[in-house]
Amino acid sequence: MTTHGPFLGAEESAGVTGTVLVGLALVLIAAFLFSAAAERVRQPAVMGEIVAGMALGPSLLGLLPGDLPGLLFPPEARPHLEVLAQLGLVLFMFGVGYQLSLSHVKGVGRHLALVSFGSVALPFAMGAALAVLLHPWLDKSQLKTDGMLGPALFLGAAMSITAFPVLARIIVERGLQKRRVGAMALVSAAIQDVMAWTVLAAVVTVVSVGANGMWSVGRTVGGALAFGLLLLLVVRPALAWLLAPQRPWAGNAPTVHVVLCSGLLASAWITDGIGLHAVFGAFLFGAVAPRRHIDATAPEVPERIDQTSLLLLPVFFTVTGLSVDLAGLGPQGVVMVLATVVVACAGKFLGAMGAARLCGSGGRESTVLGILLNARGLTELVVLNVGLGLGALDSRLFTAMVVMALLTTLMTGPLLSRFPLDAEPVPAPASRPVKHAGKDAAR
């Protein structure tokens, strides 16, 4: 018997479950193969996973006859894959926050603020100017806004984005989270992405002219500040007390596992609810977790969470890749691609490097910081899909920006190899290293 409505019957449920399991197996195999190929060409393994996700979508697999993406990942299975993708993402971001050591960035709050502001303000201005220049080429029938204000504001906001999850993967894979520049890049990316997402919320308000738009922007900013204070003043001391070695349950791995997993999921839910992405909640919860206590009593628990995230994270790239279709570009489209790549790189490089140099950083550290913050990845694709849905971009500019997002992320690995930090030794962290940190944590 078939059950109608939102509930599936037994046969339908079993069919969807089987499809999700097969799809997950295919995603893992593709991610493994593409990651191995990426490492052979000296790219981070995460770039192989990103390309694998794109390859399984309409951009490559969809070019073959038979609608293979729709056959392998049918619409009824995609909501389940999206849940797995988000779960893998927040688990990984908890691990990044947990491994992060801020001992390298103490006393440089002004430095971080200037780098974060420069990495948002300059790309925003250059992106808005580029939108004005490209406006005559846009297909006005696809735009839902009059004039150049909507495209200019949205392209500026899109240029300001840094791919926080992808940046974290690159930093962890290269062991840079143990260095000052890696910690600064992560913290700066978190700060500037809060700024960029807030600006994006304001842009959406301007474009869509929603009745409650300004209230949403204020709620996001106020909610983020309130949640940050809650974590620092309440959650952090509570976790330190609860997981202290002298407690009777100290060393009980299941107890620690439940505390950490429930806390990171609740934090992800809160930040998602206030208008930020769920990854920020998981990252912040990991950052306030009492690492010294956990490492002393149950060090295997963070490793288990990290390994689970590595199993599920490739699903995130595939789910996003399924919604991206890189159609053919005409001559004007090629010019758009070149223009967006040049403006994107110049905005992030000059914004981050210039601010870092003004604050006294060395040339090599400033260069590496600019390279890291230039990675945009698939976070950019999420933002671009918002703009396309709002009618702030046409399909050709959307495609050009997608290509830009992939190229700026692909160039991160080779550029980092050309500017090794061995020539500028960084003091060892004051805290004891985490066992699962470094390349082993990211395969």
Side-chain angles (χ1 to χ4, degrees), residues 8 17-18 31 48 59 71 107 147 161 167 171 181-182 272 295 297 303 329-330 414 423:
L8 296 174
T17 300
S59 299
L71 180 64
I161 293 293
L167 173 65
I171 287 176
V181 67
D272 185 66
D295 288 350
T297 58
E303 292 187 28
L329 291 168

Side-chain angles (χ1 to χ4, degrees), residues 116-128 156 159-160 343 346-352 354:
S116 302
F117 179 77
S119 300
V120 170
L122 187 58
F124 185 94
M126 295 180 68
M159 288 289 188
S160 304
V343 169
K348 282 291 183 181
F349 278 133
L350 296 177

